[in-house]
Amino acid sequence: MRLFSIIILFAVLSACNHQVVENRFNEKHRPQFHFSPPSQWTNDPNGMVYLDGEYHLFYQHYPDSNVWGPMHWGHAISTDLIHWEHLPIAIYPDSLGWIFSGSAVIDHNNTSGLGSEKNPPMVAIYTYHNHVMHDAGQNGFQYQGIAYSLDKGRTWAKYEKNPVLPNPGLWDFRDPKVVWHEASQRWIMALAITDHVGIYSSKDLLSWEYESDFGEGAGSHNGVWECPDLFPLTDDEGNEIWGLLVSVNAGGPNGGSATQYFLGEFDGETYTSFDTLTRWIDYGCDNYAGVTYSDIPAEDGRRIFIGWMSNWDYANQVPTEVWRNAMTLPRTLTLTKNENGYIFHNKPVDELKKSEAYAQSIEAEEAIELNDSLYHIQLEIELEEEGFLLELSNASNENVTFELNDTLFLFDRTNSGITDFSEKFDKLHTAPYSKNSENVKMDIYVDLSSIEVFINDGELVLTDLVFPTTPYQKVSIIKGQKHLKKGDVYSIQTIW
Ligand code: FRU
């Protein structure tokens, strides 16, 4: 009898387990072409590095809850930046602290000695957050540690002599992003220190020296500086320009967390930006803590960015249970020039096109019903005085609108669906637009709980979460019908 019960229990348990696996990634609002963790909490993308055909994505993860807590590094890999394979947790907290954000590099010349010339190590550089010290109000609770992998990121060992960069007595001291500086043959680390970026250098990733600070009087200081990323790019004339991403929480252009950037020069010791203007990578409320891939092969040459698609204003409250929060589409950053000097364009990586198929065209005069709930709308419009306004809606009378005129882009999510989880969510978001041609391109990517809008190939970008009770499947052009030159809808395949 007892054996029988055990067998029954086992059968029931495995059926339940099967059920869980079957349901995974099918939940309401689960992103279908964006990365999200299999379960529980995520915030920042971490350790983005490419090796032997695999893009690694680590991420801030709390495996025991769907709200923020003791941080681990979750892990996934992809061969095309779109389809992800989930791997076991890579880095666990230890007696030195929780594992906060950081980066990863391939130590090709084995400068650290942690691998060999034949098998160079993958090295993760992250912040230890000592919550006991923090909670006791003691300074110096954040310091940098490293871990390494000799098997393509599958298993990790912590460096025995951590921390590699102790805290000199500062409150915020985190989010190391490391890049190889070819000219000086050294590693350079950008670190977030409350209201500025600290720059450190190292010959071997194991011991670090302070070089300089950047940030006073530059950009937005309406919040704490986090997650810097300092990297070189080449402009059209072959000049080397250094970009510096800095996330700032709060004070984003539409409230809460957002990511600003600088463009300038780096001589191996000091970063000098061309100006002190505030430029935002994205005017939406849901693109934070974004950084770029390390070790993209020279023959590819792209600067590939992924951000966390949420906002500290409400990230812990968004209406999902099984998992909470996701990443933006991977985007290519390129340099262009406008009247204010250099700017970044960012738009989805070309790999996404393989998941897209032409579905239908948009009629200017009549609303159209879509067959799909995952789609990309591509528009070409002539921007005339009356402006242009497009609405996406569902059968429950929920909608979002996108409006463009000569000076502004407006994304309205006040009636987008479930919004009552936070007072800060149901807002109209605006971005300055400077019309320099009548012809405007707009690309809108709609997933089950996010919308990303790219104007003129990523000159202006706005990423926002939305939680409609059913997908938006009706497209109406409310203003500027006469000026729609072309409107196409592409369906996007789910990646799971
Ligand atoms: C940014 C951030 C980082 C920190 C991490 C903790 O969103 O606050 O500065 O390392 O999240 O999870």
Side-chain angles (χ1 to χ4, degrees), residues 43-44 60 68 71 100-101 174-175 226-227 288-289 308 312:
N43 55 294
D44 313 356
Q60 287 285 278
W68 188 86
M71 286 292 114
F100 269 21
S101 287
R174 62 176 177 272
D175 307 339
E226 299 184 312
C227 301
Y288 190 61
W308 174 45
W312 283 117

